[in-house]
Amino acid sequence: MTALMPAPLSPGLSAFTASRQDGPLQAKRTNLAPGMFLDADPALQMAGRYSSAAGAFLDLHAAPPGRGSWFGLHLALELPPLQEISYLGLACRTAAPEQLMLRPCLRTGLEGGGFSDCFFDRHILAAERPHSHTDALYLDSRPELPLSAPWHELVLFLPCQAFDLSLMHLHLFAL
């Protein structure tokens, strides 16, 4: 018997996972796959490299010479209507030579422009030993979250200073 797999919540994530890439980080935006990119505060003057090799989803070596306020991995989401789901979550496995804090967020586009960020309750801690992390937003407890929106993204906010990170796996789910 074959189990039916639901459509991916982020087609860009699926496309990137199926490919093997590497390249330089761009100062502002590094496109990884359709609907998947790294976005950096221009003040960071982001530099470094990314790669996706066998056995690892995304390895980052970031070396920004400037100082800035944000750097994030963005994944466009194709969600069912939010009224139809209770939980939106992620599961990931990370490792880093030095401890890093990552902050996941559901970004929701607003009618007429702009966006609203809804942060997950827990930060992701990447450390020397590979570590798994799972978290979910219970949408019914988030009255600030717009239920109707033109678009949604998962944003994984990354450090704004030099770092090395292996994001071995990243999976999204909606229940």
Side-chain angles (χ1 to χ4, degrees), residues 86-90 101-106 117-125 133-144 154-155:
S86 296
Y87 292 94
L88 176 65
L90 64 95
M101 294 282 269
L102 316 175
R103 191 157 189 214
C105 160
L106 173 61
D117 284 345
C118 183
F119 287 90
F120 284 67
D121 290 331
R122 299 183 314 138
H123 291 67
I124 300 167
L125 176 64
H133 175 92
T134 305
D135 198 3
L137 289 171
Y138 179 56
L139 301 182
D140 288 345
S141 70
R142 303 297 180 125
E144 74 279 11
L154 175 79
V155 181

Side-chain angles (χ1 to χ4, degrees), residues 49-138:
R49 296 202 61 77
Y50 75 91
S51 65
S52 172
F57 163 62
L58 179 65
D59 289 327
L60 290 172
H61 169 73
R67 293 182 179 259
S69 300
W70 43 267
F71 179 42
L73 172 62
H74 294 247
L75 298 131
L77 300 177
E78 293 184 8
L79 297 176
L82 294 186
Q83 300 89 327
E84 295 178 13
I85 60 176
S86 296
Y87 292 94
L88 176 65
L90 64 95
C92 64
R93 188 157 179 85
T94 61
E98 297 182 18
Q99 287 189 351
L100 302 174
M101 294 282 269
L102 316 175
R103 191 157 189 214
C105 160
L106 173 61
R107 179 164 284 178
T108 302
L110 301 175
E111 299 293 339
F115 59 84
S116 172
D117 284 345
C118 183
F119 287 90
F120 284 67
D121 290 331
R122 299 183 314 138
H123 291 67
I124 300 167
L125 176 64
E128 188 174 356
R129 289 184 51 161
H131 173 76
S132 295
H133 175 92
T134 305
D135 198 3
L137 289 171
Y138 179 56

